[in-house]
Amino acid sequence: MRDLILAMLLTLMPLAVGALEASESKSLKIVTVSPISHSLVTAMVENTPIQVTYLPPKRLPVSRIPSWIKKNKTRKFDQFDAYVSMRAVKPQFDLYASMRQSNIRVVEIDIAEALLPKGEKVVLLNQQEYFWLNNNNLLLMLGILKRDLVSLWPQFSTMFNANQQALSSQIRSINRASNALLIKHDVAFMVANAKQAPFVNGFATDLATQQDAQALGLNYLLVDKVKKTPSPNTWHIDDFSRFNKAPLIARLKSNFNALSQTLSQL
């Protein structure tokens, strides 16, 4: 009897090993539909085998993505293991039901609100604003994403934790350097578009009109998105309203460099 059991185990072992190898070789895929979620996810899965797919046409600005989603709601997409959304605060960006058509097991990760009892949530004053431009929101989103990725793929937890720590440290460092420049030059802000107001809220300075800034003896900067033709006294920022394959930190550093250049011209 003992010999029979041993023979059966030896017979089944290659099958178990084959199944394990097949599982390990299976590609792991995350899908996103917004520029900011794509940038965050790509940064968080660096040095892992996880693939990240951006679904909307890359030429579309973030304002046109909800229309694209609406037109493609019934479309059957490829299979993905996880879908990173912002459904809690941006339901118009939701494509989760479409993802489930191809894989009922697909996991949703909402980076705007932790899918936990009393989970943390980003600060959003209105539906139009780019809440991800607020430094505090960006760090919170990063934390939510890391926690869910670790739960989903614990075998990569060491890398997820290392990536999050490095990213958080770099984000804070860039923010401190920007604040130091703004304080040094006595800057007050205006915004060209209210959507970018959260960006200003992440700094130790205030929104003001040009007249108020001048009355207080302050320099003033207009905050606006990047344009082909820069305007004077304007900090042209990458507001993550469009897809960009450049790494997250590189995009944030480009904003700091733009600030430094603008202030040098005051």
Side-chain angles (χ1 to χ4, degrees), residues 16 20 39 59 72 85 92-93 95 110 121 128 132-133 136 144-145 155 159 166 168 172 208 214 236 245 248 259:
L20 180 60
S39 287
R59 70 181 186 279
N72 288 273
S85 76
Q92 64 270 36
F93 283 80
L95 202 58
D110 191 331
K121 186 177 181 179
Q128 286 69 46
W132 52 84
L133 293 178
N136 293 324
I144 292 173
L145 179 59
Q155 66 269 39
M159 189 53 63
S168 296
R172 290 189 174 97
Q214 290 174 333
H236 291 285
K245 64 181 181 180
L248 173 71
L259 172 63

Side-chain angles (χ1 to χ4, degrees), residues 64-134:
R64 292 179 57 192
I65 292 175
S67 295
W68 177 86
I69 288 175
K70 189 174 182 181
K71 292 176 183 176
N72 288 273
K73 280 272 188 182
T74 58
R75 176 178 160 190
K76 191 171 183 180
F77 296 95
D78 293 338
Q79 287 196 7
F80 295 98
D81 301 286
Y83 165 58
V84 176
S85 76
M86 304 185 296
R87 178 158 54 153
V89 298
K90 295 283 187 181
Q92 64 270 36
F93 283 80
D94 180 36
L95 202 58
Y96 183 51
S98 302
M99 297 295 106
R100 293 179 80 250
Q101 289 187 98
S102 300
N103 179 16
I104 193 68
R105 295 181 177 85
V106 63
V107 175
E108 180 182 20
I109 299 175
D110 191 331
I111 54 175
E113 181 177 16
L115 298 178
L116 295 168
K118 298 183 179 180
E120 61 269 35
K121 186 177 181 179
V122 298
V123 175
L124 183 69
L125 298 180
N126 63 70
Q127 278 295 314
Q128 286 69 46
E129 71 178 21
Y130 297 161
F131 64 88
W132 52 84
L133 293 178
N134 183 308

Side-chain angles (χ1 to χ4, degrees), residues 22 30 62 83 97 104 115 124 157 166 183 197 240 260:
I30 297 178
V62 70
Y83 165 58
I104 193 68
L115 298 178
L124 183 69
S157 61
I183 292 170
F240 290 82
S260 181

Side-chain angles (χ1 to χ4, degrees), residues 248-263:
L248 173 71
I249 297 302
R251 298 178 72 174
L252 296 177
K253 284 182 177 178
S254 72
N255 283 343
F256 172 77
N257 292 336
L259 172 63
S260 181
Q261 182 177 0
T262 301
L263 290 176

